[in-house]
Amino acid sequence: MPDRPDSTVRIVLGAAGEAQPAPDATAVITTVDKDATTRLEVGDKTVRIPVGPDDSSQTRFMPAPVITTGGSTALAEEPAAAADSDSGADHRPEFALVGIVSGVLGLLGQVVPEGAGRLFLLLALALFGPGAALLSVANVRNRLVSWALTVAGSLATITILSSLTLWLRVWEPTAWLSALAGVTIVGSAVQFFRLSRAKVPLILGRVGKPYDKVDNGLALGVIPFVTLAAGVGLWILALAQISPDQVGLYGFSAALGVPFVVGMVLLFIGFAVELFGRARPLVMAAHLVVVPIVMQATVPLLDGTIEYAWTYKHIGVVDLIRENGSLISGSDIYQQWPGFFAAVAGLSQVSGLDGLSFAAWSSLLFALVTSLMTAALLRQFTKDRRVIALAVLLFQACMWVDIGYFSPQALVFALMLAFWVIVSRWLVGAPEIKGEPKGRIGRLRAWAVRGMPPRIETDARTRRFAALGAAGLFAAIVVSHQLTPVLMMVPLFALTILGILRPRTFLVGLVAVMLIFFVPRLGSVNSQYSLFSFDLLSNASGNSASWNTPEQEFSATVSRALAIGLWLTALIAIFLTRKKLGRVLVPALIGFLPMVTLVAGNYGGEAIYRVFAFSMPFVGLLIGVLWAGKGRRGVPAMLASGVMLTVLLLAGLQGLQGQLMVHQVRATDIEAAQYFYANAEPGSGLVLVAPNFPTKLEANYGDYNKGHVSVDISLIGDPLFTGNINGNRLPDIEQYIRSMNYPTNYLVVSDAMDDYTDYFGTADDNAMQSLDSALRASGNWQVFYQGPGVAIFKLVGASATQ
């Protein structure tokens, strides 16, 4: 409509004369630029085109294989509705078959010998079974989205089911996992035969319009395969040549050296050649699998132990649930949010494997899962496969916050992305603005949503089921983590106020779910994390008050420069679309509004890291549009992009693994901790010289440090000893420990703590050795445990005041 360039055309596929075509066969295209085109392939179907502004207008029917109207391929130029013009293929038989196979594998996981094989079979059920059964009923008509929701639905089902059986004290994971597998098989089989009788074909290959085929020469077509193999080979070579004790104060990248850097340059040049050339989906997907392997598999392969001393607290909660089948402490924050722990405890108990044997691979598993979720989410905003691939790669390479380590955050981050997939696909769209907007707020709202694509037409039943599915994912998040639902609420409120999110009762229901669960538990959270500090600068500064060593300063500077640079580039992308802000409004609000929560509190110094992680999928999308939105580029752009991606990866790795010397947990320290929890007197106190020891890794962790269940007691970190601790302070240390009034007290000194104080500059170089010597010479202390590089001392002498 040349006289109204901001109007829309609704195109409905259906038979001529059909009164009400299926909503899933509807596409809405906004015409915004008269010189831009979007082609909608409809074959020999009949096209129904309203020629007026609404559905009640006069319509005409015409057979037409191609309709041309406004739009282009980049996000800044393309309506989201056009991005949703899927092939229309019915993939339900495919997921019914997946449900059957996953259920059978889950049942096999009950009968094969205990061990890794059984765990893999159970994971097949946990990752795909229940979700596939649900997707065999829900006709999503997009394979990528369907697979993402399959995984998310399965994880949410396992989480909620395991939590309910735990709360109801009917903890029998073997029984309910078997029942879940049986229900999955039966439901999927019934649906499969039902669809077969209805002659719905089983589609295992790709359907829809063929991808654009670009022949840019044999050399450029082969290069991505060669560089991929070379990059992986050089990474393996570098990894094979180092040992854990060769990782220095500057971290993992510096230890791997030149071969690793060369390998990454080759890897990313090959990716850039493919990105700006043929853009073959499978080739780009191969790179998207290799990058998280490089980022997240290196440490488990190098060390064989779980990274981060604080991760072992989660192992203890899992073991507690396994051994007791119930929660035993109302003051332990982990037991108040048991979703993740209950789900893992069920899999651990049935597989016969302790969490220590598999938790090290959590980061890699969830990196792959969240990459799938991110791709499906970005598909709601653009159909350009180049932009999606680059955005996912940026999300992987620049994620210096380890969001996937063995923790509730890993699970809820994946579920949160799937939640936004549902919301952005079925529940958001341009609000109805009737007449000329009045007042400043009205004009601001009209400006903000200008250019936003119209809602995808769906019936009320579809929207209800979408809202129900999103609410289910939200419930699994609520029972697993404290901060994530709060971060999600901020953009949800904004989208609802702007009229973008409908129905509004959806938000009301989510708030009710969160408050019902949170209110009784707010006291314990606030006592540990100080929720309402209202100090923005402090809350945004992270959990390090100062940089005391060049190594710490280097990693912190690189991480902050990377985060700020990415955020600023994404803001530039938003600025460039200011005249049609509605095109990027939804990803911008979801990505950046969680920063508002930094005004209230810092969540133990971690809030800023969660905010960065939550923004990254949308930051990657906005940057991807600027970087790859124009499609094909020449060889110079390919080379420059490969080098730039390598720089971003190295910066991300520096933030992620720059502190690897500190984050490495030695097997000898794990053995010492296990000995303590097996032999120490219950009710006693355990004090660490520095917070770098795997505490609470056994089910009986609640018997120690009572009153400090969620927090370790360490001397370094207390102003009384930080920067001023050695053997001469032993009388002060004894007095400090006795004042806690535990009947028996233990003190841990280790080489890992020496590494910690060296890296953060919180003690002199010889502080640990001096303290160790003083403890051994004192008559008030005796060696309770001695291992390579670690000693536990027991306080046995009388107080000097007695």
Side-chain angles (χ1 to χ4, degrees):
M1 303 179 186
D3 57 328
R4 285 184 291 170
D6 291 335
S7 61
T8 64
V9 175
R10 181 174 291 105
I11 301 174
V12 183
L13 305 187
E18 184 178 353
Q20 192 172 4
D24 286 340
T26 302
V28 181
I29 298 179
T30 306
T31 59
V32 291
D33 296 312
K34 61 183 180 180
D35 57 344
T37 62
T38 292
R39 299 174 67 83
L40 178 64
E41 301 287 349
V42 295
D44 58 355
K45 297 294 183 72
T46 299
V47 180
R48 176 186 177 196
I49 307 178
V51 295
D54 52 46
D55 284 336
S56 62
S57 62
Q58 179 184 359
T59 63
R60 61 192 177 91
F61 294 90
M62 56 177 289
V66 178
I67 300 298
T68 302
T69 182
S72 79
T73 58
L75 174 69
E77 302 293 337
E78 173 199 71
D84 201 38
S85 57
D86 302 318
S87 66
D90 191 337
H91 296 287
R92 287 179 296 171
E94 173 185 343
F95 289 94
L97 186 60
V98 171
I100 295 171
V101 173
S102 301
V104 170
L105 294 177
L107 288 180
L108 287 175
Q110 311 286 339
V111 297
V112 300
E114 291 184 349
R118 178 178 284 198
L119 178 62
F120 282 123
L121 294 174
L122 293 174
L123 278 176
L125 173 66
L127 289 173
F128 304 110
L134 293 173
L135 268 294
S136 70
V137 177
N139 191 6
V140 174
R141 295 185 181 273
N142 181 287
R143 180 173 278 157
L144 176 62
V145 173
S146 296
W147 276 105
L149 295 184
T150 290
V151 175
S154 297
L155 291 174
T157 300
I158 293 289
T159 300
I160 293 175
L161 182 58
S162 57
S163 300
L164 288 175
T165 58
L166 187 63
W167 284 322
L168 296 174
R169 295 182 177 273
V170 289
W171 179 256
E172 293 291 343
T174 300
W176 60 255
L177 279 173
S178 298
L180 183 63
V183 170
T184 298
I185 293 172
V186 173
S188 299
V190 169
Q191 183 67 357
F192 185 82
F193 289 115
R194 175 178 170 272
L195 294 170
S196 297
R197 291 183 61 185
K199 300 188 183 304
V200 178
L202 172 62
I203 304 172
L204 298 180
R206 187 184 177 278
V207 294
K209 180 182 176 181
Y211 288 120
D212 298 333
K213 294 182 179 179
V214 179
D215 186 2
N216 53 350
L218 178 62
L220 293 180
V222 172
I223 281 177
F225 297 97
V226 176
T227 55
L228 179 64
V232 173
L234 287 171
W235 168 66
I236 294 174
L237 176 64
L239 186 60
Q241 292 178 342
I242 66 170
S243 60
D245 56 4
Q246 291 178 295
V247 177
L249 291 172
Y250 282 95
F252 162 70
S253 300
L256 288 180
V258 175
F260 172 71
V261 175
V262 172
M264 293 303 98
V265 171
L266 292 174
L267 177 73
F268 285 116
I269 285 178
F271 175 80
V273 167
E274 189 66 30
L275 181 74
F276 294 124
R278 302 187 182 189
R280 290 164 289 191
L282 291 179
V283 178
M284 292 190 294
H287 288 79
L288 298 182
V289 171
V290 167
V291 171
I293 290 176
V294 171
M295 295 280 289
Q296 304 296 348
T298 301
V299 174
L301 291 172
L302 182 67
D303 281 353
T305 61
I306 304 169
E307 197 177 0
Y308 315 120
W310 59 82
T311 307
Y312 292 81
K313 299 176 178 63
H314 305 152
I315 301 293
V317 184
V318 170
D319 285 351
L320 180 146
I321 295 174
R322 281 184 55 182
E323 293 189 10
N324 295 278
S326 63
L327 304 173
I328 62 176
S329 174
S331 61
D332 186 354
I333 193 170
Y334 295 133
Q335 295 183 51
Q336 293 190 59
W337 273 267
F340 168 80
F341 303 112
V344 176
L347 296 174
S348 174
Q349 183 170 331
V350 178
S351 68
L353 289 177
D354 183 87
L356 285 172
S357 62
F358 58 80
W361 297 98
S362 171
S363 292
L364 176 58
L365 172 65
F366 280 106
L368 295 173
V369 169
T370 54
S371 294
L372 171 64
M373 303 297 175
T374 300
L377 176 57
L378 302 186
R379 182 62 179 80
Q380 307 316 305
F381 304 105
T382 179
K383 65 180 180 180
D384 191 328
R385 64 185 186 275
R386 290 182 172 88
V387 171
I388 294 173
L390 179 60
V392 173
L393 189 73
L394 290 172
F395 164 78
Q396 295 171 336
C398 300
M399 184 61 81
W400 58 267
V401 176
D402 191 351
I403 201 71
Y405 76 94
F406 188 74
S407 66
Q409 295 94 310
L411 171 67
V412 300
F413 185 67
L415 295 181
M416 180 204 68
L417 295 176
F419 172 89
W420 289 122
V421 170
I422 295 176
V423 169
S424 59
R425 185 175 181 86
W426 286 288
L427 302 178
V428 303
E432 296 181 4
I433 300 178
K434 299 180 180 179
E436 187 69 22
K438 299 179 180 180
R440 292 182 179 179
I441 295 178
R443 289 193 294 271
L444 179 63
R445 177 171 175 261
W447 168 76
V449 302
R450 184 182 303 165
M452 180 176 290
R455 298 176 185 273
I456 297 174
E457 292 298 317
T458 56
D459 56 23
R461 180 173 177 270
T462 300
R463 290 192 296 272
R464 282 196 301 269
F465 278 110
L468 183 62
L473 297 178
F474 187 76
I477 294 171
V478 166
V479 302
S480 300
H481 198 233
Q482 309 86 29
L483 179 63
T484 301
V486 178
L487 294 177
M488 295 169 65
M489 275 296 157
V490 180
L492 283 170
F493 269 99
L495 293 171
T496 303
I497 292 171
L498 289 172
I500 296 171
L501 177 63
R502 295 289 181 88
R504 289 174 177 163
T505 53
F506 174 66
L507 176 61
V508 174
L510 298 185
V511 172
V513 170
M514 187 176 75
L515 292 181
I516 290 171
F517 192 84
F518 272 31
V519 170
R521 296 166 171 80
L522 278 178
S524 63
V525 179
N526 192 46
S527 65
Q528 180 173 343
Y529 292 117
S530 184
L531 292 181
F532 306 107
S533 61
F534 297 104
D535 186 345
L536 177 61
L537 293 178
S538 175
N539 296 338
S541 63
N543 53 20
S544 295
S546 60
W547 300 337
N548 297 318
T549 65
E551 298 85 5
Q552 181 191 8
E553 182 177 2
F554 177 74
S555 289
T557 301
V558 169
S559 301
R560 295 189 181 191
L562 178 62
I564 293 171
L566 292 171
W567 280 337
L568 289 177
T569 306
L571 290 175
I572 291 173
I574 295 173
F575 176 78
L576 294 176
T577 62
R578 64 192 181 279
K579 294 183 179 180
K580 297 290 183 181
L581 186 60
R583 297 184 179 280
V584 298
L585 183 64
V586 173
L589 290 178
I590 300 174
F592 284 96
L593 275 186
M595 291 183 182
V596 173
T597 59
L598 295 175
V599 176
N602 69 359
Y603 192 69
E606 294 187 15
I608 184 62
Y609 306 129
R610 305 302 169 208
V611 166
F612 173 76
F614 289 8
S615 71
M616 271 307 297
F618 307 98
V619 167
L621 171 66
L622 295 167
I623 296 176
V625 171
L626 292 179
W627 197 332
K630 293 183 179 180
R632 297 183 63 192
R633 304 279 181 87
V635 171
M638 294 175 179
L639 295 176
S641 294
V643 173
M644 177 58 68
L645 287 171
T646 305
V647 171
L648 292 175
L649 174 82
L650 293 177
L653 269 177
Q654 187 62 40
L656 181 67
Q657 303 293 359
Q659 299 181 9
L660 183 58
M661 180 177 174
V662 177
H663 292 161
Q664 287 175 313
V665 178
R666 296 166 172 82
T668 52
D669 285 11
I670 299 172
E671 293 171 3
Q674 291 173 324
Y675 180 89
F676 172 82
Y677 287 106
N679 298 280
E681 297 178 19
S684 58
L686 176 66
V687 179
L688 314 178
V689 176
N692 198 26
F693 186 71
T695 58
K696 302 172 185 166
L697 77 172
E698 298 290 345
N700 64 337
Y701 69 90
D703 292 339
Y704 305 93
N705 287 3
K706 291 185 176 180
H708 296 82
V709 174
S710 299
V711 181
D712 286 332
I713 305 173
S714 63
L715 302 178
I716 298 296
D718 190 304
L720 183 63
F721 299 106
T722 301
N724 183 22
I725 189 171
N726 52 47
N728 296 329
R729 300 293 309 277
L730 188 57
D732 298 325
I733 293 172
E734 290 182 11
Q735 182 180 355
Y736 179 87
I737 293 175
R738 291 184 191 279
S739 67
M740 297 177 186
N741 296 318
Y742 291 116
T744 308
N745 296 280
Y746 301 86
L747 179 66
V748 184
V749 184
S750 71
D751 290 348
M753 296 177 186
D754 195 24
D755 292 339
Y756 180 95
T757 56
D758 284 346
Y759 185 85
F760 292 107
T762 49
D764 294 336
D765 290 342
N766 63 344
M768 291 297 161
Q769 293 82 356
S770 172
L771 184 57
D772 182 87
S773 298
L775 286 164
R776 295 178 188 276
S778 172
N780 291 340
W781 295 87
Q782 71 178 27
V783 176
F784 174 73
Y785 175 86
Q786 179 65 60
V790 57
I792 304 177
F793 296 90
K794 182 179 180 180
L795 182 59
V796 295
S799 171
T801 61
Q802 292 179 340

